[in-house]
Structure formats: structure tokens, C-alpha cells
Amino acid sequence: NEKKKGKGNRSPYSPSRVLHIRQIPSGVTGAEVVSLGLPFGKVTNLLMLRGKAIYWLQAFLEMASIDAAVSMVNYYTPATPHLHNQPVYIQYSNYKELRTDNQHNQARPQAALQGVNAVQHGNLGITSALAAEGGVLPSHGSVLRIVVENVFYPVTLDILYQIFSKFGFVVKIVMFHKNNQFQSLLQYADATNAYYAKMSLDGHSIYTGCCTLRIDFSKLTNLTVKYNNDKSRDFTRLDLPFGDGQRTVETSLSPPFATQNTIFPSYTGPSGFAPALGFPQGAGPSVPPVPGALGPLMVTTSAAPGHMTIPGIPGNSVLLVSNLNPEAITPYGLFILFGVYGDVHRVKIMFKKRGIALVQMADAAQAQLAINYLNGQRLYGRVMHATLSKYQTIQLPREGQEDKGLTKDYSNSPLHRFKNPCSRNFQNIFPPSATLHLSNIPPSVTVDDLKSLFTSKGSTVKGFKFFQKDCKMALIQLGSVEEAVHALIELHNHDFGENQHLKVSFSKSSI
């Protein structure tokens, strides 16, 4: 007897916060069911029941809002989700809300919800919910093994990057042929993202009828990449050589941002092959947008006939930065810090919640780079969180609208580090470190002058040395990484007078 208590009497086809999920394989856990809903918003309740057939379960999943439920149904209707390699089907329930207080055997499914309320809307951080069910995630690493079957059209490294970036920051990809199969190993920055990608993409085809993805967890914990070319790439290492591989014109990349100016051949294909993962025929890859994951790829045809370009991805270049210190943070400070990893176009500190900000980067790859290096960094005494925002752009305040200078446009700033595609700044992107690289130092400025300058901003100077070959450059070691972050914000572009400005960046060296 399925004791479900609900309110209202809706038809199964009317939008409801409660979703009915059927034909779930019997070994599936509550945490895995919950994870289907988390990309779309907060999951507020879960009820798992034995189905009519002994092999199947069914579940009722309650979302915090109707909007979240609608998004989930709209996403999974064309792209059927799989649990344990079996398709599961999602529709609106005729219940308005779930009551599970007196349900028997609901302890484990309810455990899957513990910690979910702490998950930020749109964040992929399901670790706490899954851990509550006995550690589903820790047994899996962040490396996926991908086999592509029935390869009618070429599958490039860039296509895999575009598809799998939807679910988190892709760190490394290696492609190879083994046992007459096209295979790839792909490493995420976080095991949670790997889990999501496997659940969402396993069994799906890149194009209808061909290029089917079979995805497993690899036993490897870390991939070693020696070359950045068509067969392998480390997206955190821009300095790797190209190696011996032959670069084709179609997949050439302008480093370091893989999504910028990536060119693919135009595949028209036979008329019977309709797009499966949202790939328009003759256009590049796209998968249905998941809120909180990367949004849809906007593919535009380039001037060259027979080719198309994927520019920086709109909708994925705006970052949500939270847990900021409202007493210390400024739009300019965020502009300078995030500007180490890309060109910042706009910054907005929330008017009513000063601990939250939006940062708009020049393109999606720069946004990913900033997340990779700055998420979890301490700033003004707090651990900052950086993730992708659901917004496509930061709106400037209307005339007369109260803003108190919290929204700033920096799109034409002379301080952008990456305007020039030949700039050496591309080769010098490093994580925040206690040692800073200083350049553009005037000849009249001494060691003591620089030490005093940094001390005046609250830094503890632990070491200093000028470069032997170039006295315009130096390394300065401060008391901590957080001190160095503060000093960089304060002193990058410091005016020494006579239009000579100090340049500050993080260094990989130590003194």
C-alpha cells in the first residue's frame, strides 16, 4: 500500500513541485535519485517506493519551486536520464507536496537529503547529500574513461571538452585508440562533477544514431599530460609543448583559452541523422542547458564557408562570488584579483547582500580559469566561493537607480592583462602564492622603497630579490598567500610617479 499524502488534485500533466520518477532499477540509492534534481534547484523531499514489478522502484521527488520542477522536466524530456545504465522516466505528479513523516523505510532516502539545504542553488556540490547515504562519491575518482561507439563523424578533443565542460571544470583530456575503439580519459577538478557527467551522459549519442558515449570511472586518480595538441591537453598548463602530433587546421587552438576561436569542420551528414545532444547538423556541439552547469553553447557560423566557430560561450562568463567580507570588498578589488586570470568586463556587488558579487569575464574559458584558481581562496579573512552564475550578463544600473557605486563597468579598462593575444601574460598564469612577481620597477626605486611600500599595506616581507638580468623585475615573498592576494589588489598598478606603474602577479617561484 503506497501511503502517499499530498495536497491538491492536479492532472499528471500540470506543473507541480512534485515529480514522479518511474522504472528506477532496484539497486539505485536515494542519493542518486536526489542528484537528478540538484542541478535545477533545492530538493526538499524524497519518497521511494517499490514499483509494481519487483525489479523496479519508483520515487517522488519534491523540488523547492515549480520553476525548478519545470526546468527539470523540460531538460530530461528530450534527454532521458539513466540510472545504473537504465533509462528512467520523469513526469509531474498530481501531488502538490509530499508528506513523508510517517512513512516506513524512508530513513535512507531521507538521509540522502541531509545537507542538501546547504547546497547553493545551481551548485554541483552534492557531496554532503551523497555522503549521508554511505559515501557514494568517495569511491569514485575524478577521472572518466569514455568509449565512443559507432563513430560516423570525427570526435575531436574540442568536442569532448565542450560537452563535458557542462558539468564542471575539465582539467585534462587524453584521446587514444585501443582495441579498435575510440577512447578518451577525461579528468575533472572535482569527483562530484565526474559523477554528474557520467550519470547525465552515459548512453547518450553525440549525434542521433552514432557517436554513442559509454562512460565508466577510471582507476587512475590523475592523468599525466606531456603535450598540448589534438590528442591530449592539460587546461591548467599553458606552457606544455605541442609535441610530435600533426595539428589540423580544423581543430587548431589559440592558447590558452580552448573555447575561444575553436574551429570545427561542418558536418552535414546523412539526412537520417538528426541532432541528439542538441548538435545542429553542420554546427558544433551543444547539450541541453542545466541550470548551474554550463549553459547552452551558442554556435555561430564563421566567415569561412564549410567551417563554424564557437566563440566565448555567452551565459557562462558571469561568475557568482560569495562569502565575501562586506566590510572590505570593493568592485575594484574583485576587478584586479579576477583580472589575473582573464579580462574582467563588469563587477556587481549585491546591494542588499554585500557578501555576494557577480564578476563578468571576457569569455567562458577565462571564467573557468578564475574558478579553478580562486574558488576556496581566503580573501579578507573569509574563504571565497566562486562558481558559474545563472546570469548571462551583468546589467548596469539605470539612470537614477540607487547603486552606491557597487556596479562597475571595466570593459574598456587599460588594466586588462589579456587584450593582446601575443602577451606574455598568457604564459604566466599561476595559482595564488605567497611570492609575487613585480615588474615595471623604475630605476630610482630601491629594495627598501619596495619593502616599505608593501609593509605600509599590512604585508610581512619575508624575502626580496631583484632579477639579475633585469632590474625592472623582482620577487617579493610575503607572510602568507592571503597577504599576497591583498597586496596584489592594493599595489597592482601602483603609481610611482611620471606615469610609471607597478605590475604585480603571482609567481611559481620562491625565494
Side-chain angles (χ1 to χ4, degrees):
N1 184 21
E2 297 170 358
K3 297 179 180 178
K4 306 182 293 292
K5 293 183 181 179
K7 285 185 178 179
N9 186 24
R10 299 178 171 212
S11 80
Y13 304 104
S14 300
S16 161
R17 288 195 301 127
V18 181
L19 301 173
H20 180 213
I21 307 172
R22 55 195 170 82
Q23 289 202 21
I24 302 169
S26 60
V28 168
T29 65
E32 289 172 297
V33 175
V34 168
S35 72
L36 290 175
L38 283 175
F40 304 92
K42 189 186 291 184
V43 177
T44 49
N45 214 338
L46 171 69
L47 177 62
M48 290 187 72
L49 302 162
R50 176 66 58 195
K52 290 178 182 176
I54 195 167
Y55 312 105
W56 306 111
L57 301 169
Q58 56 178 313
F60 289 87
L61 192 74
E62 181 187 270
M63 304 299 289
S65 69
I66 286 185
D67 284 349
V70 170
S71 296
M72 185 171 167
V73 169
N74 288 347
Y75 175 71
Y76 285 129
T77 300
T80 307
H82 286 62
L83 291 172
H84 293 198
N85 297 319
Q86 295 293 324
V88 296
Y89 300 95
I90 299 176
Q91 64 190 41
Y92 298 116
S93 164
N94 60 336
Y95 295 107
K96 203 171 178 179
E97 65 181 49
L98 282 179
R99 303 275 182 83
T100 53
D101 304 345
N102 302 317
Q103 289 297 328
H104 299 296
N105 303 319
Q106 291 303 313
R108 282 177 63 78
Q110 289 305 306
L113 279 168
Q114 289 177 11
V116 170
N117 288 332
V119 175
Q120 188 177 8
H121 176 82
N123 193 351
L124 298 183
I126 60 171
T127 315
S128 55
L130 293 168
E133 255 220 10
V136 178
L137 267 181
S139 61
H140 301 309
S142 58
V143 180
L144 296 176
R145 185 176 74 98
I146 303 155
V147 176
V148 184
E149 297 176 346
N150 200 10
V151 184
F152 271 40
Y153 302 136
V155 177
T156 65
L157 185 145
D158 307 292
I159 284 176
L160 291 178
Y161 176 81
Q162 300 287 10
I163 293 169
F164 284 83
S165 286
K166 295 276 178 179
F167 299 91
F169 185 71
V170 175
V171 180
K172 300 170 186 174
I173 303 178
V174 176
M175 290 182 356
F176 53 94
H177 276 83
K178 186 177 180 182
N179 303 330
N180 290 325
Q181 285 182 318
F182 176 97
Q183 298 194 27
S184 178
L185 293 168
L186 183 145
Q187 182 176 341
Y188 279 101
D190 191 290
T192 310
N193 306 130
Y195 181 84
Y196 255 121
K198 182 190 183 306
M199 285 187 58
S200 301
L201 296 175
D202 186 28
H204 282 284
S205 298
I206 299 174
Y207 301 92
T208 300
C210 67
C211 301
T212 305
L213 300 169
R214 302 292 178 202
I215 303 170
D216 294 307
F217 290 99
S218 169
K219 292 176 182 175
L220 296 171
T221 55
N222 187 45
L223 296 181
T224 302
V225 175
K226 294 180 180 177
Y227 304 110
N228 280 340
N229 56 31
D230 292 346
K231 301 298 179 192
S232 64
R233 198 160 305 149
D234 182 337
F235 293 97
T236 68
R237 290 281 308 277
L238 312 176
D239 56 328
L240 291 180
F242 184 72
D244 299 326
Q246 291 298 308
R247 182 193 292 264
T248 60
V249 175
E250 287 77 18
T251 55
S252 66
L253 288 179
S254 59
F257 303 123
T259 49
Q260 185 77 11
N261 304 322
T262 306
I263 299 171
F264 298 99
S266 182
Y267 304 131
T268 50
S271 58
F273 288 94
L277 284 181
F279 281 40
Q281 284 165 8
S286 167
V287 296
V290 181
L294 292 184
L297 293 176
M298 305 302 292
V299 179
T300 56
T301 305
S302 70
H307 291 75
M308 34 72 52
T309 340
I310 297 180
I313 310 165
N316 300 311
S317 58
V318 179
L319 302 174
L320 176 69
V321 187
S322 56
N323 202 38
L324 297 168
N325 183 336
E327 304 299 320
I329 200 64
T330 63
Y332 179 78
L334 291 171
F335 164 67
I336 293 296
L337 178 57
F338 281 77
V340 173
Y341 301 106
D343 292 336
V344 176
H345 284 196
R346 290 179 180 177
V347 177
K348 181 185 187 72
I349 294 176
M350 298 303 187
F351 188 76
K352 293 183 178 176
K353 294 184 178 179
R354 301 290 173 91
I356 299 174
L358 297 173
V359 177
Q360 184 173 335
M361 308 296 288
D363 66 37
Q366 294 185 11
Q368 287 286 347
L369 212 56
I371 289 172
N372 194 37
Y373 286 119
L374 293 177
N375 182 40
Q377 175 58 50
R378 285 187 69 83
L379 179 65
Y380 302 124
R382 295 192 180 187
V383 177
M384 172 173 58
H385 301 301
T387 185
L388 288 161
S389 163
K390 62 184 178 182
Y391 296 104
Q392 294 196 3
T393 186
I394 293 176
Q395 298 291 335
L396 294 175
R398 295 186 300 276
E399 196 172 336
Q401 187 179 352
E402 191 181 12
D403 181 68
K404 293 190 177 175
L406 295 176
T407 307
K408 294 287 187 183
D409 186 281
Y410 295 105
S411 51
N412 295 315
S413 171
L415 298 186
H416 288 166
R417 296 177 188 243
F418 305 102
K419 266 184 179 175
N420 179 359
C422 302
S423 169
R424 289 176 63 180
N425 291 332
F426 286 117
Q427 278 75 51
N428 294 306
I429 299 175
F430 303 112
S433 60
T435 305
L436 296 172
H437 179 275
L438 313 180
S439 60
N440 217 32
I441 302 167
S444 58
V445 173
T446 65
V447 174
D448 288 340
D449 291 336
L450 287 164
K451 285 183 176 179
S452 298
L453 178 63
F454 278 81
T455 305
S456 73
K457 301 298 181 183
S459 299
T460 311
V461 178
K462 296 237 173 144
F464 184 94
K465 74 171 182 184
F466 273 110
F467 279 57
Q468 284 184 334
K469 293 180 180 178
D470 188 350
C471 60
K472 290 182 180 178
M473 295 197 292
L475 294 177
I476 188 165
Q477 187 174 340
L478 304 182
S480 67
V481 175
E482 187 179 4
E483 269 191 29
V485 170
H486 299 168
L488 182 139
I489 291 171
E490 289 285 326
L491 293 173
H492 179 64
N493 200 45
H494 173 78
D495 189 355
F496 285 116
E498 298 181 12
N499 203 27
Q500 291 188 295
H501 295 81
L502 180 66
K503 292 181 180 176
V504 184
S505 55
F506 297 115
S507 173
K508 64 177 178 180
S509 309
S510 55
I511 299 172

